[in-house]
Amino acid sequence: MRITASQVREMKQKGEKITMLTAYDYSTAQIVDGVGVPLILVGDSLGMVMLGYESTIPVTMDEMLHHTKAVVRGAKNSLVVGDMPFMTYHLSVEQALGNAARFIQEAGAQAIKLEGGVNVAEKVKRIVECGIPVMGHIGLTPQSIHQFGGHKIQGKSPEAAIRLLEDARALEEAGAFSIVLETVPAPLAALITQKVGVPTIGIGAGAGCDGQVQVINDILGSFADFVPKHAKQYAKLTDIIKNAVTEYYNEVKAGSFPTAKQSFTMDESILAGLK
Ligand code: KIV
């Protein structure tokens, strides 16, 4: 049975820690789902780790829908959250509703995520009213990277900390079922977690959040460009892949791959006839 947004909310009440991971393709989604991770985020981080863009800004709706469809096909039980890309919900409530609906109707996601707090609360409210569960995202919101002037920790001054708390409350009031807190000091994230009734899911926000989210390539060590401070590498796939590719390359060059084991035979008499 697929997990629902209300079950995610209940996990906070029960004090159960919530795990979320990104996935961008069918076979990775199958693995993450198989482990029992309740939430899969098809993040717009795919712009960097899958498509090689410098930031999430160039990611389009079509790219997001393409990857979300693949993840939905691979995930049988996890709740799949589609990430609304830059400028696909900023122009008007109608635009936000239309694009949120595409994630649900065309791609088969069960929820959407968008960045912002007080400034997007009205849109969150209308999307939720239409029956689409919404995950909020505050703190370091990568779509506003040019405004922040880099990947800086958010909420360090008293004013900024109060703004973050107001953003979290606005999202809860608008009906968001959970809120991502990105790159926020751990004590502030813990305080926000206490002050709101919906689960907080941290990334670079310490252990006091209700749950944690990571970009899967960061925990697998399969993205070579950079490793964020908040990520722990549970594997080093770049090394494993590099070794396997090198071995394959060397064996093909040397003529030692393929062997009989990877080849197919046929009736010798048919072959003799052809000769
Ligand atoms: O796009 C993404 O992967 C995200 C997570 C880092 C929360 O927004």
Side-chain angles (χ1 to χ4, degrees):
M1 276 284 281
R2 198 184 288 281
I3 185 139
T4 63
S6 7
Q7 284 172 314
V8 173
R9 288 185 70 145
E10 281 161 25
M11 287 172 83
K12 179 175 180 121
Q13 271 113 54
K14 292 184 197 155
E16 256 180 73
K17 285 281 186 191
I18 301 163
T19 317
M20 177 159 86
L21 262 179
T22 67
Y24 315 103
D25 64 81
Y26 172 77
S27 41
T28 308
Q30 269 189 323
I31 297 169
V32 175
D33 181 80
V35 169
V37 173
L39 287 160
I40 296 183
L41 172 67
V42 188
D44 61 355
S45 50
L46 69 81
M48 279 119 95
V49 299
M50 292 284 115
L51 304 176
Y53 299 147
E54 276 186 10
S55 73
T56 58
I57 308 276
V59 176
T60 64
M61 270 304 288
D62 286 344
E63 285 164 344
M64 288 306 303
L65 294 175
H66 175 77
H67 286 270
T68 305
K69 283 179 195 175
V71 169
V72 168
R73 286 191 286 267
K76 301 288 168 250
N77 299 305
S78 309
L79 188 151
V80 178
V81 183
D83 206 3
M84 298 202 39
F86 182 59
M87 277 297 151
T88 65
Y89 54 97
H90 303 78
L91 302 184
S92 65
V93 168
E94 286 67 31
Q95 185 212 23
L97 284 175
N99 283 324
R102 290 190 71 193
F103 273 103
I104 309 297
Q105 237 173 353
E106 288 179 40
Q110 292 85 44
I112 61 101
K113 174 172 87 58
L114 45 75
E115 296 183 5
V118 172
N119 61 328
V120 293
E122 176 59 17
K123 287 159 187 159
V124 171
K125 186 166 178 279
R126 293 291 306 281
I127 297 170
V128 172
E129 278 168 2
C130 289
I132 301 172
V134 176
M135 176 178 282
H137 184 166
I138 57 175
L140 177 63
T141 44
Q143 291 171 11
S144 305
I145 202 71
H146 296 312
Q147 200 172 18
F148 294 137
H151 290 84
K152 295 184 180 147
I153 304 163
Q154 301 299 304
K156 285 184 94 174
S157 70
E159 301 77 27
I162 289 168
R163 266 202 309 276
L164 270 185
L165 189 53
E166 284 169 357
D167 281 336
R169 284 190 166 134
L171 287 169
E172 179 180 17
E173 229 164 83
F177 76 97
S178 55
I179 302 166
V180 169
L181 299 179
E182 179 165 354
T183 321
V184 172
L188 176 62
L191 182 77
I192 294 172
T193 302
Q194 282 169 23
K195 299 264 183 200
V196 294
V198 291
T200 59
I201 303 184
I203 174 162
C209 296
D210 298 304
Q212 298 293 325
V213 55
Q214 286 285 305
V215 169
I216 192 155
N217 302 68
D218 291 339
I219 68 156
L220 296 182
S222 65
F223 182 59
D225 290 3
F226 64 89
V227 184
K229 176 177 156 55
H230 59 66
K232 175 175 170 186
Q233 288 190 331
Y234 292 83
K236 259 208 163 277
L237 284 200
T238 43
D239 290 351
I240 293 170
I241 294 169
K242 197 170 162 200
N243 288 342
V245 172
T246 306
E247 222 176 302
Y248 167 73
Y249 174 84
N250 289 340
E251 286 191 5
V252 172
K253 294 275 274 186
S256 56
F257 176 86
T259 66
K261 200 174 166 199
Q262 292 94 25
S263 306
F264 306 94
T265 56
M266 65 182 283
D267 193 321
E268 287 292 336
S269 64
I270 297 173
L271 196 61
L274 291 172
K275 284 176 183 165

